[in-house]
Amino acid sequence: MAQRMAGADRQRQILDAAVRVFARQGFHTCRVADIADEAGVAYGLVYHYFGSKEEILDRIFLERWNVMLEVIREIDAGDAPARAKLEAVAGFIVESYRHDPDVMKVIIVEVTRAANSFGRTHLEKIGEAYDLIAQIVARAQADGEFKDTVTPKFAAMAFYGAIEQVLTGWIFDLLPAGEAEYDRAKGLVVETVCGGLDATPASAGTV
Amino acid sequence: MAQRMAGADRQRQILDAAVRVFARQGFHTCRVADIADEAGVAYGLVYHYFGSKEEILDRIFLERWNVMLEVIREIDAGDAPARAKLEAVAGFIVESYRHDPDVMKVIIVEVTRAANSFGRTHLEKIGEAYDLIAQIVARAQADGEFKDTVTPKFAAMAFYGAIEQVLTGWIFDLLPAGEAEYDRAKGLVVETVCGGLDATPASAGTV
DNA sequence: ATAGGGATTGACTGGCGAGTCAACTCAGCG
DNA sequence: CGCTGAGTTGACTCGCCAGTCAATCCCTAT
């Protein structure tokens, strides 16, 4: 059935199939046989390339998360204002979702937000992202760009939580999704968390 | 072993044990036997009071979530400023966590954030909460208390996501927890989402 | 007293699904 | 042209665990 193929390619093929299956059925609900079927490959071959079902999820998560950590580090290294940096971070996450919603769905639903049971393994890796965002906030507070009423870690959690919840809204059809919404969301998350929902004090003060 | 007891009490006892077990081991990882043991009750008795393992989780979630929906409705019915309403909502959620961290952990980790597989059943119920918060925002926008750069639904997701992520931080020790932090968090989430992280334009303008 | 019936028990079953493995295929190489 | 080893196959094993059920217990009513 499956033609001979270089190892790396076959692995990729199984990984991609797993992403689709995990996104569709959920990690716990799906069987390894489903992944093999989706990939058009024999059951046993999955175990030729991966040690376990969990290892597949590991790989899916780590591959994408490491890219994100790298991107955030680069963004942080620049000298743009913090608000622009946060917008870049939000933008990257939204773009990730636009580019491959299934991968993001799996990461959010099965790893990031499943820190019990499975995700516990990756708690440290997940925390790295929060720390990087916290660092951006901390610097902005030191510069006076952000107020320091909130600890950087707290702000980072609120910021990341807001984004993840918006993605969750798209994933489960609780929020209108679509190209236009994705574009707008990048800015709006930052506008909300940085600018706040309040009508601006400035204009309130001028009344 | 277990003394005779009124049906409702025994059910409660099993429910409470289940909360502890789910919080400790996770829904998928624990066995029904663990719940029975924790409750000090025979295996079969669990099935005398509940139709299935899932039904137990259902009950835990619905009991608490319905209380929350009711509270939010009451808060919304008052005529306080939206910011105070949101603070009340955040306060209730934080108090819920302080009062019974295990229940909130189970709800967040196993239901709210597991909308694939299991939580799908409750998606509608979960959405109700977001809608109620959105309503608060919508009214505030109509009154001019909030800007209308963001759709109410979007703001609701960002707000709820921020809170849930903060709780998640406490649950998994990514954020310092404790009585003082809980008290502060209520206001800070609202301060962050309503007031924004930016140094206020007013004070920036006076420099 | 004692019968009735809900509460309680825990051994047992049935199915499911992760992971194994022995057999097979075949491209490339000497 | 046979040999080798990586790639591929899918039937099979084996443990686990949700859910069943027949037996037992003990409160209550008569």
Side-chain angles (χ1 to χ4, degrees):
Chain A
M1 180 147 297
Q3 301 301 312
R4 289 283 170 118
M5 201 183 269
D9 291 346
R10 177 81 351 124
Q11 209 167 4
R12 181 85 268 139
Q13 176 188 359
I14 294 171
L15 229 30
D16 290 346
V19 167
R20 271 173 269 135
V21 173
F22 289 163
R24 193 192 314 133
Q25 307 175 231
F27 178 77
H28 292 288
T29 319
C30 84
R31 291 160 297 170
V32 173
D34 297 330
I35 300 173
D37 289 351
E38 176 80 23
V41 136
Y43 188 94
L45 197 62
V46 173
Y47 284 92
H48 180 73
Y49 286 101
F50 299 94
S52 70
K53 192 184 172 190
E54 270 207 3
E55 191 183 312
I56 300 176
L57 183 53
D58 271 355
R59 283 280 301 272
I60 293 170
F61 167 71
L62 285 174
E63 248 175 33
R64 191 79 208 152
W65 200 258
N66 280 329
V67 171
M68 188 178 85
L69 290 178
E70 201 39 55
V71 168
I72 299 182
R73 275 195 201 95
E74 276 168 27
I75 291 170
D76 188 25
D79 57 358
R83 195 176 171 131
K85 286 183 180 176
L86 291 184
E87 191 156 337
V89 172
F92 175 76
I93 295 175
V94 170
E95 279 308 317
S96 294
Y97 180 75
R98 195 211 301 259
H99 175 260
D100 195 338
D102 281 349
V103 170
M104 291 307 278
K105 178 172 179 181
V106 170
I107 288 178
I108 290 178
V109 175
E110 308 293 346
V111 186
T112 282
R113 300 193 155 189
N116 234 14
S117 54
F118 177 74
R120 192 134 242 158
T121 330
H122 297 294
L123 218 48
E124 207 177 333
K125 202 89 194 169
I126 294 170
E128 268 182 55
Y130 304 155
D131 288 344
L132 287 172
I133 295 172
Q135 207 169 82
I136 295 177
V137 174
R139 294 226 184 87
Q141 288 180 335
D143 292 359
E145 185 186 347
F146 285 169
K147 4 181 203 186
D148 57 2
T149 42
V150 186
T151 67
K153 278 201 171 181
F154 188 96
M157 292 303 264
F159 173 72
Y160 184 83
I163 297 179
E164 205 172 84
Q165 187 72 7
V166 169
L167 293 205
T168 303
W170 291 334
I171 290 171
F172 294 115
D173 282 319
L174 296 168
L175 218 51
E179 297 301 314
E181 277 76 12
Y182 301 155
D183 281 330
R184 252 187 293 138
K186 297 180 200 176
L188 288 184
V189 175
V190 177
E191 169 62 21
T192 303
V193 175
C194 294
L197 291 173
D198 285 339
T200 58
S203 63
T206 54
V207 175
Chain B
M1 177 142 303
Q3 302 299 311
R4 285 286 169 117
M5 199 182 270
D9 291 347
R10 179 66 14 111
Q11 209 167 3
R12 178 85 273 137
Q13 176 188 358
I14 294 171
L15 231 27
D16 291 346
V19 166
R20 271 172 270 134
V21 174
F22 289 162
R24 194 191 313 132
Q25 305 174 233
F27 178 77
H28 292 287
T29 321
C30 84
R31 290 160 299 166
V32 172
D34 297 331
I35 300 173
D37 289 352
E38 177 80 24
V41 134
Y43 187 94
L45 199 61
V46 173
Y47 283 92
H48 182 72
Y49 287 101
F50 299 94
S52 69
K53 191 185 174 189
E54 270 208 2
E55 192 184 313
I56 300 177
L57 183 53
D58 271 355
R59 284 280 301 273
I60 293 171
F61 166 70
L62 285 175
E63 250 176 32
R64 191 82 210 148
W65 200 258
N66 280 329
V67 171
M68 187 176 86
L69 290 178
E70 201 40 55
V71 169
I72 299 182
R73 276 194 200 95
E74 277 167 28
I75 291 170
D76 188 24
D79 57 356
R83 193 173 172 136
K85 288 183 180 177
L86 290 184
E87 191 157 335
V89 171
F92 175 76
I93 295 175
V94 169
E95 279 308 316
S96 294
Y97 181 75
R98 194 210 303 258
H99 174 261
D100 194 339
D102 282 350
V103 170
M104 291 305 280
K105 177 171 178 181
V106 170
I107 287 178
I108 291 178
V109 175
E110 308 292 346
V111 186
T112 282
R113 299 191 156 192
N116 234 12
S117 55
F118 177 72
R120 190 134 244 158
T121 330
H122 298 294
L123 218 47
E124 208 177 331
K125 203 90 194 167
I126 295 170
E128 269 181 54
Y130 304 153
D131 287 344
L132 287 171
I133 296 172
Q135 209 169 81
I136 296 177
V137 174
R139 293 225 186 88
Q141 289 180 334
D143 292 359
E145 188 186 344
F146 284 170
K147 1 180 203 185
D148 57 2
T149 40
V150 186
T151 67
K153 279 201 169 181
F154 188 96
M157 293 302 266
F159 174 71
Y160 184 84
I163 297 178
E164 206 172 83
Q165 187 72 8
V166 168
L167 293 205
T168 302
W170 290 335
I171 290 172
F172 295 114
D173 282 319
L174 296 168
L175 220 48
E179 298 301 314
E181 276 76 12
Y182 301 154
D183 281 331
R184 251 186 295 137
K186 296 180 202 178
L188 288 184
V189 175
V190 177
E191 169 61 22
T192 303
V193 175
C194 295
L197 292 172
D198 285 340
T200 58
S203 65
T206 55
V207 173

